[in-house]
Amino acid sequence: MNVRDLIDLGDFTLDDWHKILYLAEDIYQDPMRYSSALHGKILATLFYEPSTRTQMSFQAAMMRLGGQNIGFKNPSSSSISKGENLKDTIRIVSGYSDILVIRHPKEGSARAASLFSACPVINAGDGGHLHPTQTLTDLFTLRRVKGRLQNLRIGLCGDLKYGRTVHSLIRAMSRFPGNRFTLISTPELTLPDYLVKETGAQIERCDSLEACIGDLDVLYMTRIQQERFASKEEYARQKGVYILDAEKMRLAKPDLAVLHPLPRIDEIDRAVDDDPRAVYFRQAEYGMYVRMAIILLLVTEQPDGAVTLLPAREGEHCANPSCILEAEPYIGQKVLEEDGGPRRCAFCEHAL
Ligand code: NCD
């Protein structure tokens, strides 16, 4: 692997993804073989947003590799509550650790953290933007339960606007041939435009689960991201629109795989949990092995490559209120390498 930080899977090659997935499979088959692989190393988890699975699976992963953990799961218990900025926190903590995991409510925060870190940084979710380690978990799950990552018809249901797991997954799965996507959401919560354009032609839209569930090989359910709505009323209008229940499962193929990054609120009826096509609890378990593989590769290989961020032109400024630059402007505007489209913020990817 050439790149030091796991911020966006697009920074890595397909070979790198396969390398992570093969190693994860190897660890899953025989975890004891790796039980002291990172003896003496320290992982720092900086969680500025709530988490159960992601933080605990990272910590368990490090412990199962023989390493140790430091960090916080609530910024109010750290110097951030005294007003410390992201740059200083990252600088300090990366000096104490060998690898750092960050989850933060602002989009682009993980990329920003990587600029200030002395050790590799892993993005564990940056606002409504990306969640690459969840996606590697999803790929690992699909490989295990479907036996392939290509020629799949994938339904994405729920909050496609703010759901960072969906954003990372659609990007990743569109790198494999023959995949087709069905977007199942209200018009208000559909996929952001830049992702639709990037993903290309293989997208259909459907406004009812009943109408399209029968065509799907994979159904990726998501919760409505309550915390990213401007008002409670707006959230209330979106809540409960799509609910997967036993009746709808009767319309689905016998080998459908239902995934969900969890937490589930009410979008999957608990009666579905016992259906063998429901793989979300296994998916959560697999996440730990995938994170063991990611940590092990980044700490032992020590790749030193970085993604090129271009300087902004005079007057170029990201107007996305959810971008990390809005909260921490001293970081300074940077721009992504030109891809033929509009110039985009190097942190949150919004068009400038
Ligand atoms: C997801 C997240 O945080 O984006 N959870 C997770 O990491 N498994 C999904 C969510 O919170 O809805």
Side-chain angles (χ1 to χ4, degrees), residues 54 103 131 134 164-165 223 225 261-263:
T54 306
R103 168 173 286 189
H131 194 349
Q134 178 64 49
R164 55 194 173 197
T165 58
R223 80 182 164 96
Q225 305 275 304
L262 303 179

Side-chain angles (χ1 to χ4, degrees), residues 147-172:
R148 65 185 196 277
L149 293 176
Q150 52 194 48
N151 299 322
L152 291 169
R153 182 129 180 195
I154 305 162
L156 301 160
C157 180
D159 189 341
L160 313 186
K161 180 178 180 188
Y162 297 118
R164 55 194 173 197
T165 58
V166 167
H167 302 167
S168 286
L169 183 66
I170 197 165
R171 259 190 175 167

Side-chain angles (χ1 to χ4, degrees), residues 45-108:
T45 52
L46 308 186
F47 276 61
Y48 294 73
E49 263 191 350
S51 170
T52 305
R53 271 151 297 277
T54 306
Q55 188 176 32
M56 285 193 197
S57 65
F58 265 114
Q59 292 179 338
M62 190 56 170
M63 289 160 86
R64 286 180 187 276
L65 290 166
Q68 287 179 294
N69 291 292
I70 57 170
F72 57 77
K73 61 173 171 205
N74 185 346
S76 63
S77 65
S78 79
S79 283
I80 293 144
S81 65
K82 301 178 189 166
E84 184 168 71
N85 65 34
L86 183 72
K87 181 176 182 179
D88 292 0
T89 306
I90 298 297
R91 226 176 175 164
I92 302 301
V93 178
S94 69
Y96 299 155
S97 48
D98 300 286
I99 186 158
L100 196 151
V101 179
I102 180 170
R103 168 173 286 189
H104 194 287
K106 289 288 183 185
E107 300 176 13

Side-chain angles (χ1 to χ4, degrees), residues 208-237:
S208 114
L209 254 176
E210 288 93 326
C212 54
I213 194 168
D215 299 327
L216 304 175
D217 302 308
V218 176
L219 174 58
Y220 198 87
M221 293 295 296
T222 61
R223 80 182 164 96
I224 307 299
Q225 305 275 304
Q226 174 171 14
E227 66 277 28
R228 309 210 193 282
F229 281 79
S231 70
K232 280 204 170 75
E233 294 70 35
E234 225 177 291
Y235 168 65
R237 275 197 294 278

